[in-house]
Amino acid sequence: MSHDDDVRTVHRICPLCEATCNLELRIKGRTIELARGDRDDVYSHGYICPKGSAIGHLESDPDRIRAPRIRDRATNTWRDVEWDEAFAYIDAHLTPLLERSGRDSVAIYAGNPCAHNLAPQVYNRVLIQSVRTKNVFSASTVDQMPKQVSAGYMFGAALSIPIPDVDHTDYLLILGANPFASNGSLMTAPDIPGRLRAIRNRGGKIVVVDPRRSKTATEADEWLAIVPGTDTLFLLAIANVLFAEGLADPGDHLRDHVSGLDTVESLVAPYSPDAVARACGIDASTIHRIARELAAAPSAAVYGRIGTTTTEYGTLASWAVDVVNVLTGNLDRRGGAMFNLPAIGGGNSGGAGGVGRGIKVGRRVSRVANLPEVFGEFPAATLPDEIETPGEGQVRALITIAGNPVLSNPDATRLDRAFASLDFMVSLDIYCNETTRHADVILPPEGLLARGHIDLALRSLGIRNVAHYSPPAVELEAHEYAEWRTLLRLAAIMQGLGSSDDAVDTVDDFVLRGLVERAVGRPGPFEGRDADAVVAELSAGGRRGPERVVDLMLRTGPYADQLNLDALIEHPHGIDLGPLQPRVPDVLRTPSGTIELAPEPIVADVRDRLPELLDERSHSDAGLLLVGRRDLRSNNSWMHNLRVLVKGKPRCTLHIHPDDAQRLGLADGKLARIASTSGSLDVPVEVTDAIRVGVVSIPHGWGHDGPGVELSIAREHAGVNSNVLTRPDLLDPLSGTSALNAIPVEVAAIS
Ligand SMILES: Nc1nc2c(c(=O)[nH]1)N[C@H]1C(S)=C(S)[C@@H](COP(=O)(O)OP(=O)(O)OC[C@H]3O[C@@H](n4cnc5c(=O)[nH]c(N)nc54)[C@H](O)[C@@H]3O)O[C@H]1N2
Ligand SMILES: Nc1nc2c(c(=O)[nH]1)N[C@H]1C(S)=C(S)[C@@H](COP(=O)(O)OP(=O)(O)OC[C@H]3O[C@@H](n4cnc5c(=O)[nH]c(N)nc54)[C@H](O)[C@@H]3O)O[C@H]1N2
Ligand code: SF4
Ligand SMILES: [Mo]
């Protein structure tokens, strides 16, 4: 640690997106003077994007909340308070509510940055368990949950997601992802643009399936402009061709480890290229060719992202991606789709491998809409139902942790209204924004430089095995409070332990103790050791909090012989643990001990629901379908308050094809009114041929001009909230995930 005016260089993993680039920061005291890529990093090799460079602006943004604040409901005004007062206030309101209305009256919503920050990764679970509410919601059900469900069924664990081995593949089929803008998702890889270009430079091929000609599509060999929502049909038709032409072969390495092949063959039989072509808007001959190319390529990987998961058939599409990976012999082999082996361990690396309990979903259903629980959560789409519908178990209070559901969840107008009706709301956030303006108390995290960082889930999704830890670079200032302590202090309040800071260490010790007892009780490096001794060893030097838990994970993980937290501290540029390696059958945790190609819930969904998709869509009279998009300089809803990122031409526009624009009398730069059954918006038109006829696109995360929103720069570039248009009734029943793409809309000129 250093004096305030020292200029120093520190390294830390960028917490903004999934790419996990290592930043080299020149800091003076607590000010980030310069951010650039760390050239010595073992993974990112100096790569950085405009958001990473802007991290100093994010940290010094004058609109950020620096102290806890309480809202006076009568006057709707905020006052800054001391931490003790904030927690006492929460205790005084939430504890009686819990007593009066029961545990389920408090809901939790965890947002996307929870996956990018250490404190929530380790302690959200503890808070949830302390509230003991069934009403847990997160951004997962507006994002990747379908992939977790399909992977869970097929491979036995929710994070057993096959990752395209982009550094070695000869052929990459990308559906519904735009990594040139997003920098990759469920595919943790810094400099994904460079890695994709390298595929083509070494003679490989990239095909992009997307209703929009995205930047990734322009960088690819081929763009297939699919009708939104129909990727499952396209992929099943590929499988159909593979069977029909005798090309379906999981390969020698998988032959004894796959079950359900015959079932899949009969399931895909109706989905020939001819049968799906009209619905998908892709020629039958093209589908035939892509199937043959995939089968013939020395190695190939199919990869699907947001455009495949956030649709009404999200789980089926996610499953179909891996069915094709298996059928072409590309699952679990170099250049195909492979499994990571993260240093912190995971659901598919501990204990005896090769077989397990698999996953269970639907252990309970939501109170109002009867939607099944998935991995401990209910669909975010049904949160307003739970708030607005009276009766026992009605949600009356909400804790949001790094989430902005008013801009990110479907049917936003209703959600906004529902939040306004709550009896009490606490938000852990850095801004007073569209969501947190409804809170009674906002609790800000400590500055970025004052916290340690290590990625947990994202490391399970890496295209290489690597490990990094970024220690805090500065000490907490007097007014700051570590977010991990905030989470545990709330947990203590919810456990009835009172609101004092002392309880934090008690809860933390209890959590660690539980984890250590499990570690000494099961096969692994700590098996049979004395729990007290292990706790003492982990706590040496006064270590506690999330770092102490992570150290335990590293010391009991797959690289325990070479890795612990101290080793990572000595390697600020990361430790490379090598390329992905074949992991079947050891990775499997399914009850059958095989890759289950035809899990029963998926088979039922194909039989019961998929036929509708063949009938319904793409019929040219079906009107317009709305999809989203991302921009490199934006990050979901919360980086629009940095002038360096929002300057230039407006990004929240309606993309529409010239033919549709002409038909509807829309002109570039003019306003159009777009409406769905949920709501309507007026949005500036951008006519472009980079979108399929019949499809329109608006990015999400905008609409910053609401009352009480304290984002002065974002307000000047407010844009509109596209989730006013997305519908609560359109969701994937297997995962509870909202359809945020392929929303039927009507568009008209505003005269
Ligand atoms: N229509 C449509 N909707 C979408 C999507 C889409 O493609 N189309 N994408 C969906 C996806 S993939 C996702 S992940 C969700 C995201 O949905 P959410 O997670 O609900 O929304 P974010 O915009 O990520 O909001 C993150 C919040 O965390 C706060 N924050 C940032 N850093 C920190 C921190 O260190 N600590 C704390 N406590 N708070 C912090 C920010 O101020 C912001 O309020 O949106 C989904 N919504
Ligand atoms: N710059 C930036 N980076 C980000 C984010 C961000 O907001 N901005 N958000 C982060 C988050 S939380 C996530 S989850 C990832 C998401 O990462 P990506 O999945 O790569 O996200 P998008 O760029 O939205 O790309 C989705 C693509 O799917 C297309 N699409 C829409 N509907 C369909 C469909 O039905 N079928 C097909 N085949 N395609 C369709 C869209 O046109 C779009 O090009 O990005 C992360 N990185
Ligand atoms: S690509 Fe993602 S991780 Fe890398 S600098 Fe940009 S925002 Fe940060
Ligand atoms: Mo996401």
Side-chain angles (χ1 to χ4, degrees):
M1 301 293 163
S2 65
H3 296 291
D4 266 9
D5 45 3
D6 280 355
V7 174
R8 292 187 295 145
T9 298
V10 298
H11 298 92
R12 63 181 296 130
I13 294 293
C14 176
L16 300 178
C17 91
E18 294 179 47
T20 68
C21 306
N22 208 15
L23 304 175
E24 183 176 291
L25 304 177
R26 195 172 74 209
I27 62 172
K28 183 171 182 188
R30 305 191 122 236
T31 309
I32 299 173
E33 297 199 319
L34 182 70
R36 58 184 172 205
D38 171 15
R39 284 169 187 278
D40 298 323
D41 184 66
V42 298
Y43 203 20
S44 55
H45 306 292
Y47 179 81
I48 188 175
C49 87
K51 292 185 296 300
S53 323
I55 202 151
H57 298 263
L58 178 67
E59 280 305 289
S60 61
D61 183 349
D63 284 339
R64 272 183 66 157
I65 295 177
R66 308 284 171 185
R69 44 154 73 178
I70 293 178
R71 184 167 62 99
D72 180 79
R73 283 196 168 218
T75 57
N76 200 25
T77 50
W78 295 95
R79 68 188 164 93
D80 287 356
V81 296
E82 298 293 327
W83 285 94
D84 284 345
E85 183 180 347
F87 287 110
Y89 191 81
I90 294 167
D91 193 12
H93 285 81
L94 278 186
T95 303
L97 182 85
L98 279 176
E99 277 161 19
R100 212 170 48 237
S101 310
R103 313 298 302 188
D104 293 338
S105 68
V106 178
I108 295 178
Y109 176 88
N112 168 273
C114 292
H116 297 268
N117 286 292
L118 181 53
Q121 289 184 100
V122 174
Y123 292 126
N124 272 7
R125 208 172 33 86
V126 178
L127 175 57
I128 290 167
Q129 286 166 355
S130 302
V131 182
R132 284 191 282 122
T133 174
K134 289 200 269 298
N135 287 313
V136 178
F137 304 85
S138 86
S140 289
T141 53
V142 285
D143 189 352
Q144 83 294 341
M145 198 63 115
K147 191 74 206 181
Q148 295 193 257
V149 170
S150 77
Y153 285 137
M154 296 175 81
F155 311 111
L159 270 174
S160 291
I161 295 174
I163 314 300
D165 184 13
V166 288
D167 286 351
H168 305 111
T169 197
D170 298 293
Y171 192 109
L172 185 61
L173 175 62
I174 300 177
L175 303 104
N178 184 11
F180 274 83
S182 69
N183 271 295
S185 179
L186 302 185
M187 169 173 75
T188 295
D191 191 16
I192 194 74
R195 292 174 199 265
L196 294 180
R197 287 185 177 125
I199 294 175
R200 297 185 68 199
N201 289 342
R202 61 177 180 262
K205 177 166 181 175
I206 301 179
V207 177
V208 171
V209 180
D210 195 309
R212 298 185 315 110
R213 192 175 66 235
S214 63
K215 169 79 170 151
T216 306
T218 63
E219 294 268 351
D221 295 87
E222 193 171 348
W223 168 45
L224 302 178
I226 195 167
V227 171
T230 65
D231 297 76
T232 309
L233 298 177
F234 171 78
L235 290 163
L236 292 193
I238 287 180
N240 175 293
V241 174
L242 296 171
F243 281 112
E245 301 193 352
L247 299 171
D249 179 7
D252 292 339
H253 66 299
L254 291 191
R255 193 147 297 127
D256 297 333
H257 306 295
V258 172
S259 62
L261 261 179
D262 294 346
T263 311
V264 171
E265 182 167 9
S266 71
L267 274 183
V268 304
Y271 298 95
S272 66
D274 282 327
V276 307
R278 191 166 116 94
C280 296
I282 299 177
D283 291 344
S285 61
T286 304
I287 302 176
H288 275 284
R289 178 173 53 77
I290 299 287
R292 290 174 194 139
E293 286 177 7
L294 279 170
S299 68
V302 185
Y303 163 74
R305 210 34 209 101
I306 279 292
T308 58
T309 55
T310 53
T311 70
E312 284 177 83
Y313 298 87
T315 302
L316 290 190
S318 302
W319 160 78
V321 163
D322 288 326
V323 166
V324 175
N325 280 324
V326 169
L327 295 181
T328 55
N330 283 302
L331 191 97
D332 200 43
R333 81 161 175 185
R334 190 177 157 97
M338 306 186 74
F339 297 98
N340 192 288
L341 183 62
I344 41 88
N348 64 29
S349 64
V355 64
R357 276 181 296 176
I359 61 156
K360 270 217 164 41
V361 304
R363 289 168 295 185
R364 51 182 179 266
V365 295
S366 66
R367 180 180 66 102
V368 179
N370 278 314
L371 290 164
E373 157 272 351
V374 177
F375 302 132
E377 301 181 20
F378 287 132
T382 198
L383 176 55
D385 300 326
E386 295 296 333
I387 296 173
E388 291 191 333
T389 314
E392 206 180 311
Q394 181 184 6
V395 169
R396 296 312 309 148
L398 175 68
I399 302 173
T400 69
I401 310 166
N404 191 2
V406 169
L407 294 195
S408 62
N409 286 12
D411 202 7
T413 309
R414 182 177 174 211
L415 190 61
D416 188 50
R417 191 181 66 212
F419 284 176
S421 76
L422 288 165
D423 292 338
F424 199 71
M425 178 165 159
V426 179
S427 290
L428 280 62
D429 212 285
I430 60 176
Y431 286 118
C432 182
N433 62 21
E434 300 74 15
T435 294
T436 60
R437 75 184 180 91
H438 293 295
D440 292 279
V441 185
I442 305 180
L443 304 171
E446 72 278 48
L448 182 77
L449 295 175
R451 43 183 129 141
H453 181 68
I454 181 166
D455 286 300
L456 303 184
L458 296 183
R459 286 285 169 250
S460 315
L461 303 166
I463 60 140
R464 278 184 85 81
N465 297 308
V466 290
H468 284 88
Y469 169 66
S470 318
V474 299
E475 270 166 37
L476 286 180
E477 288 187 338
H479 66 277
E480 283 180 310
Y481 195 67
E483 194 153 54
W484 73 265
R485 297 193 75 87
T486 294
L487 288 164
L488 291 190
R489 200 150 158 189
L490 291 173
I493 291 172
M494 301 312 287
Q495 290 178 28
L497 299 175
S499 71
S500 100
D501 178 68
D502 303 341
V504 171
D505 292 337
T506 312
V507 176
D508 186 34
D509 289 339
F510 182 80
V511 168
L512 183 81
R513 180 82 203 187
L515 294 171
V516 166
E517 275 168 15
R518 266 177 45 203
V520 300
R522 68 176 173 206
F526 283 6
E527 185 178 15
R529 284 194 55 187
D530 174 49
D532 288 331
V534 173
V535 168
E537 194 175 312
L538 294 167
S539 310
R543 184 174 281 157
R544 62 162 50 256
E547 271 87 352
R548 187 169 60 165
V549 172
V550 164
D551 193 26
L552 171 66
M553 293 164 85
L554 291 167
R555 288 167 182 241
T556 51
Y559 309 86
D561 51 344
Q562 44 173 317
L563 280 191
N564 56 37
L565 196 68
D566 291 328
L568 290 183
I569 291 171
E570 280 160 29
H571 290 85
H573 311 292
I575 296 180
D576 184 29
L577 300 164
L580 302 182
Q581 301 294 334
R583 290 198 57 203
V584 173
D586 185 61
V587 72
L588 301 176
R589 294 292 185 280
T590 50
S592 65
T594 63
I595 296 170
E596 298 191 9
L597 278 190
E600 188 273 321
I602 286 183
V603 171
D605 204 34
V606 173
R607 295 221 162 104
D608 300 345
R609 220 164 45 95
L610 196 59
E612 290 164 26
L613 188 57
L614 266 187
D615 301 338
E616 264 176 23
R617 298 237 180 172
S618 168
H619 312 281
S620 43
D621 53 349
L624 294 164
L625 294 175
L626 173 70
V627 301
R629 65 176 191 269
R630 282 173 164 75
D631 183 276
L632 179 62
R633 305 174 76 87
S634 172
N635 195 23
N636 295 325
S637 75
W638 60 282
M639 292 194 66
H640 300 148
N641 207 46
L642 309 180
R643 200 167 306 275
V644 281
L645 294 180
V646 288
K647 64 180 189 218
K649 68 180 180 86
R651 299 208 183 80
C652 187
T653 56
L654 177 82
H655 283 184
I656 187 164
H657 190 274
D659 294 356
D660 288 321
Q662 198 188 15
R663 180 169 57 87
L664 297 166
L666 299 175
D668 207 71
K670 293 278 162 47
L671 283 184
R673 181 155 300 163
I674 175 166
S676 73
T677 55
S678 280
S680 91
L681 295 171
D682 294 348
V683 56
V685 170
E686 194 174 337
V687 178
T688 167
D689 69 357
I691 193 162
R692 193 190 153 83
V693 173
V695 181
V696 292
S697 165
I698 308 179
H700 75 286
W702 297 85
H704 302 293
D705 50 357
V709 172
E710 298 178 25
L711 298 167
S712 49
I713 293 170
R715 187 175 283 280
E716 293 168 21
H717 307 262
V720 295
N721 179 358
S722 69
N723 282 311
V724 162
L725 302 168
T726 49
R727 285 167 41 178
D729 56 319
L730 296 185
L731 49 75
D732 167 39
L734 294 187
S735 68
T737 302
S738 292
L740 304 171
N741 288 295
I743 308 298
V745 288
E746 284 173 12
V747 177
I750 296 179
S751 42

